Amino acid sequence: MSTLHSPLHDQHVALGASLVDFAGWEMPLRYGGDVAEHHAVRRAAGLFDLSHMGELMVRGADAAAALDYALVGHMSRMALGRAKYTMMCAPDGGVLDDLVVYRRDWDHFMVVANAANRVQVAAELQARFDAAALDATVEDETQSIALIAVQGPASAGIVARMCGGGAGDVDPMRYYSGVNLLLEGGIHAYAARTGYTGEDGFELFVAADTAGDVWRLALREGAAAGLEPCGLAARDSLRLEAGMPLYGHELSHDTTPFEAGLGRVVSFGVSGGPDRGDFVGREALARLSEEGVAKTLVGLVGDGRRAARTGYAVTDGDDNQVGIVTSGLPSPTLGQLIAMAYVPTALAEPGTVVGVDVRGRREEMRVVALPFYQRDA
């Protein structure tokens, strides 16, 4: 399969980005320095190309009921213009992908999937709709849509200026909501107050052929506020500080929402109200909810100099391996080593000291509650 290019590929080349293969797409890893890009988002704003993410349109008279059956969240309870973080699970409760679903109309939802899972998610959604004999179809519109994110404390003002200066459509937006915006130059965008950085921010879904104009507009209107273009490296360090899972690291078919500390996204029904009905994985997930789990995703912090990295062994006091690091790096914001790891639930209590085997040497780290970083309200 040939490598896919973002509609913004030429913009990245012009800015001197370091490009890498990511889930079959050539995407910017960084433009200058990882740490500088990370700090720009925490202190002002960063501009990200997320066009590798999958945009799957679900339409039909039974679209809401179909997503209720296919996913672990109660999608039919979403109001128009709202978004919800959810998951697609296998019958055994393992996570096939984590998703954000946007309700564009009463019979139209947009499901945003991870790039590496897009094709599988689209096929599995349609198979589940058909198996339940529900009137809903899935269309993969990824390559006709560009996704551009403006993230950081200055993001609302930047997006308002991209609309010609009026903040009337931007300021009132709630977290995890979306509206149609008209950007300068008559460009239409679906703007959602969502993101993957732990900061306030907006994700702009625009037609692929307008992506270059939107990117340049953001750079122009954000320059005075300190906006910087940011790559995948900064996105990863930002999401790790915010304790946000990454599929293929914290989430996989071998993990369940409850093990990942995300049992809250699984809806069995409204408290005191009617049961929501069957969904794929319900039986297995209900059992886990009642019985508990043997392993738990935790945060780890350390004061050493050698970072715990993905795949490193977590050990107990006797140096027996008891878990594994899923993500880890030196935190630019906090100035200490951080990691996420799966450990036995008995070792998941904050303050517990564990070891991490860093290239044959034990480095002590302590368990902390996630997230590591949380912005001021």
Side-chain angles (χ1 to χ4, degrees), residues 284-302:
L285 291 167
R287 185 172 61 252
L288 287 168
S289 177
E290 293 175 1
E291 297 176 357
V293 295
K295 66 178 182 180
T296 302
L297 184 69
V298 299
L300 300 177
V301 297

Side-chain angles (χ1 to χ4, degrees), residues 112-354:
V112 177
N114 285 292
N117 299 330
R118 169 177 60 94
V119 174
Q120 177 193 11
V121 169
E124 185 63 23
L125 282 174
Q126 192 64 64
R128 293 181 182 190
F129 298 168
D130 294 344
L134 293 166
D135 177 11
T137 59
V138 182
E139 294 181 59
D140 186 346
E141 298 186 10
T142 302
Q143 295 192 54
S144 64
I145 294 173
L147 177 53
I148 297 171
V150 181
Q151 299 282 302
S155 59
I158 293 169
V159 174
R161 289 193 293 277
M162 291 173 68
C163 299
D169 291 328
V170 175
D171 282 348
M173 285 179 66
R174 296 165 59 193
Y175 189 49
Y176 265 65
S177 67
V179 299
N180 293 309
L181 291 182
L182 187 64
L183 306 180
E184 272 194 25
I187 299 171
H188 292 266
Y190 182 73
R193 201 161 201 163
T194 49
Y196 195 51
T197 64
E199 297 295 340
D200 187 19
F202 298 80
E203 295 181 318
L204 308 176
F205 298 85
V206 300
D209 60 5
T210 67
D213 290 336
V214 175
W215 183 265
R216 288 186 291 269
L217 176 63
L219 287 175
R220 187 188 79 201
E221 297 301 332
L227 176 139
E228 295 287 345
C230 299
L232 293 170
R235 189 167 182 250
D236 190 52
S237 57
L238 290 159
R239 69 91 192 168
L240 177 52
E241 286 186 346
M244 295 178 169
L246 175 63
Y247 197 88
H249 288 248
E250 288 70 41
L251 300 173
S252 73
H253 192 176
D254 295 326
T255 59
T256 69
F258 293 99
E259 292 168 332
L262 295 168
R264 65 183 180 277
V265 309
V266 181
S267 173
F268 297 106
V270 182
S271 178
D275 187 274
R276 64 165 277 197
D278 194 23
F279 60 90
V280 178
R282 176 171 184 145
E283 183 177 345
L285 291 167
R287 185 172 61 252
L288 287 168
S289 177
E290 293 175 1
E291 297 176 357
V293 295
K295 66 178 182 180
T296 302
L297 184 69
V298 299
L300 300 177
V301 297
D303 300 317
R305 294 188 175 183
R306 303 199 305 171
R309 301 290 185 180
T310 302
Y312 286 10
V314 178
T315 60
D316 62 15
D318 296 321
D319 270 348
N320 298 310
Q321 181 172 354
V322 294
I324 192 165
V325 173
T326 55
S327 300
L329 48 68
S331 165
T333 303
L334 306 176
Q336 60 184 161
L337 304 178
I338 62 173
M340 288 196 282
Y342 278 102
V343 301
T345 300
L347 297 178
E349 185 69 23
T352 302
V353 175
V354 297

Side-chain angles (χ1 to χ4, degrees), residues 1-6 9 20-27 143:
M1 183 181 294
S2 60
T3 300
L4 297 171
H5 285 127
S6 160
H9 180 77
V20 296
D21 180 87
F22 184 78
W25 292 74
E26 189 172 47
M27 299 298 295
Q143 295 192 54

